[in-house]
Amino acid sequence: MSYAEGSSWSAVEATDVMYAGGPHDGALIHLDEAEAVSEGKHIGDSPQDAYVFELNMSFGCQYRITGLFKTQLATGIMGMEDSPKSFWKQMYNQGVIDEKRFSLCFSRQPTASREGTEAGAMTIGGTDTRFHSTPMLYARNVQSTSYGIRLKAIYLRKNGGESALPDDAEEQVVHNIGVGESTMANWRIIVDSGTTDTYLPSSIHSQFSNVWKEITGHAFNNSPMNLSPEELLALPTVLFQVEAHQPSIDEELDPETTPGLSGLVDAHNPHDILIAMPASHYMEWSEKSGMYTPRVYMSERSGGVLGANTMQGHDVHFDSENNRIGWAESDCDYMGLISGVADTDRS
């Protein structure tokens, strides 16, 4: 398998019995379902219940890797597109999950190590609303086997802010970079957790940079920057306005006060989805240099990728069952969740 950026791997296909989740350092103890119900438990809520989801998984045992696969922290790659060999689709085809959907919730960690870093949670078969600090809002999936959205506008918001909803609308002024919706309609924009950074068309670099300079006083580039914590948080928040999945629109939600809706930036399309990528997500810290590097690249000929740094701070619901992609803001604190006692809305 080869990739556009030059990396590749070769593998022998094998099949083995596996399960999703569970503890990393101990065997599982099977829990009797009747006993669990009598104790007020639901099988599937605890990592100890992972045996319920075992299946015969086909996978590749890599014997040759090149490029980024040699240097990345991960020791493999998990395919999640809508195809028969993908991880979740094999679970669906074997009846382990009932519906064709899953969610990825990426937390923000300042550092990473080969020994393992908690990065959030993956929910197979649906989404877990206990992660959500805002309502789940759905964009239309415009792709068939992959996951794509229709981008309608890009904004830069002065004085930052972590949420799509500003803390102070008077101080956090939003600037549209000025790329027309008709132009963006021709772009192929995918949402890809396997791409670390975010990539946009090279044709918008001057417009993006001009607005960036208007806000910050200097042009945008991808050179390392020496920033204090206060300076980092004051950098512009990037906002992506995305076409909504019309059947999923909740008319009872106020578009001007609901985080993730576009009422404050586009009165004509108030139920479009607004995705926030703050500086804490797009600026990558290097412990070696002590500097931050912007990881938003305007380098593509056409189209682009909303990568893992855009997904960070959200529970993203890939719902192939209904051709939609849901976004809810979240801290994605998996360890905090499993140590708590909250109930799950398994929608």
Side-chain angles (χ1 to χ4, degrees):
M1 175 69 73
S2 299
Y3 298 82
E5 41 75 25
S7 301
S8 67
W9 54 265
S10 301
V12 175
E13 186 172 337
T15 301
D16 203 349
V17 178
M18 59 82 67
Y19 55 78
H24 296 282
D25 56 357
L28 296 175
I29 300 173
H30 284 222
L31 181 66
D32 179 80
E33 186 164 6
E35 180 183 343
V37 172
S38 68
E39 295 178 3
K41 298 177 181 178
H42 180 279
I43 289 184
D45 282 353
S46 167
Q48 294 287 345
D49 302 337
Y51 65 86
V52 176
F53 307 104
E54 66 184 22
L55 72 153
N56 294 313
M57 173 65 68
S58 295
F59 58 95
C61 291
Q62 294 177 338
Y63 61 83
R64 178 179 177 271
I65 56 174
T66 67
L68 295 177
F69 288 108
K70 286 187 172 183
T71 57
Q72 68 181 14
L73 294 180
T75 56
I77 185 168
M78 179 183 288
M80 299 297 283
E81 68 179 4
D82 193 350
S83 67
K85 291 291 186 181
S86 70
F87 179 77
W88 68 269
K89 196 63 175 289
Q90 290 190 59
M91 296 181 74
Y92 174 77
N93 288 338
Q94 293 184 44
V96 178
I97 58 174
D98 297 327
E99 296 187 322
K100 296 181 289 184
R101 46 192 188 145
F102 64 93
S103 297
L104 297 176
C105 201
F106 290 162
S107 61
R108 173 68 177 175
Q109 301 295 339
T111 60
S113 72
R114 292 190 180 278
E115 287 70 38
T117 303
E118 183 191 340
M122 175 169 63
T123 306
I124 306 294
T127 188
D128 190 335
T129 60
R130 292 178 297 178
F131 283 120
H132 303 168
S133 58
T134 67
M136 177 71 79
L137 304 169
Y138 287 94
R140 180 168 71 95
N141 183 10
V142 299
Q143 301 294 329
S144 53
T145 58
S146 59
Y147 308 100
I149 50 90
R150 183 179 172 222
L151 197 57
K152 297 176 70 173
I154 300 173
Y155 307 90
L156 296 180
R157 188 173 65 202
K158 186 178 180 180
N159 292 320
E162 299 288 306
S163 173
L165 190 69
D167 300 314
D168 186 335
E170 293 186 3
E171 291 293 327
Q172 295 171 308
V173 179
V174 174
H175 301 256
N176 191 323
I177 70 168
V179 179
E181 183 180 335
S182 59
T183 298
M184 293 185 178
N186 296 317
W187 296 352
R188 181 179 182 268
I189 304 290
I190 64 170
V191 180
D192 182 23
S193 61
T195 302
T196 305
D197 304 321
T198 290
Y199 296 85
L200 299 170
S202 57
S203 59
I204 72 168
H205 186 275
S206 61
Q207 291 158 289
F208 188 100
S209 184
N210 288 342
V211 176
W212 179 278
K213 185 174 183 179
E214 179 184 340
I215 295 173
T216 67
H218 56 84
F220 179 86
N221 59 58
N222 294 103
S223 300
M225 304 170 67
N226 191 2
L227 300 169
S228 68
E230 293 75 21
E231 289 171 326
L232 172 71
L233 296 178
L235 287 176
T237 294
V238 182
L239 299 171
F240 298 107
Q241 182 180 342
V242 176
E243 180 184 336
H245 180 256
Q246 292 293 324
S248 300
I249 289 176
D250 185 348
E251 297 287 353
E252 294 185 0
L253 295 177
D254 185 343
E256 294 190 359
T257 61
T258 302
L261 289 180
S262 297
L264 290 177
V265 296
D266 187 350
H268 298 292
N269 299 282
H271 289 282
D272 278 348
I273 312 305
L274 199 64
I275 301 167
M277 180 167 61
S280 59
H281 294 180
Y282 66 75
M283 298 295 287
E284 182 178 71
W285 164 258
S286 169
E287 192 171 2
K288 183 177 180 180
S289 68
M291 303 180 79
Y292 291 92
T293 300
R295 295 300 186 186
V296 179
Y297 297 94
M298 278 145 282
S299 57
E300 304 303 291
R301 293 180 62 183
S302 64
V305 182
L306 301 187
N309 60 354
T310 298
M311 295 173 61
Q312 267 181 2
H314 299 89
D315 189 30
V316 183
H317 184 198
F318 297 90
D319 186 358
S320 295
E321 197 80 32
N322 297 293
N323 295 315
R324 60 184 188 171
I325 305 171
W327 299 77
E329 295 181 4
S330 173
D331 62 8
C332 302
D333 182 8
Y334 173 69
M335 294 308 295
L337 179 66
I338 63 172
S339 63
V341 292
D343 290 329
T344 309
D345 177 357
R346 301 172 184 84
S347 58

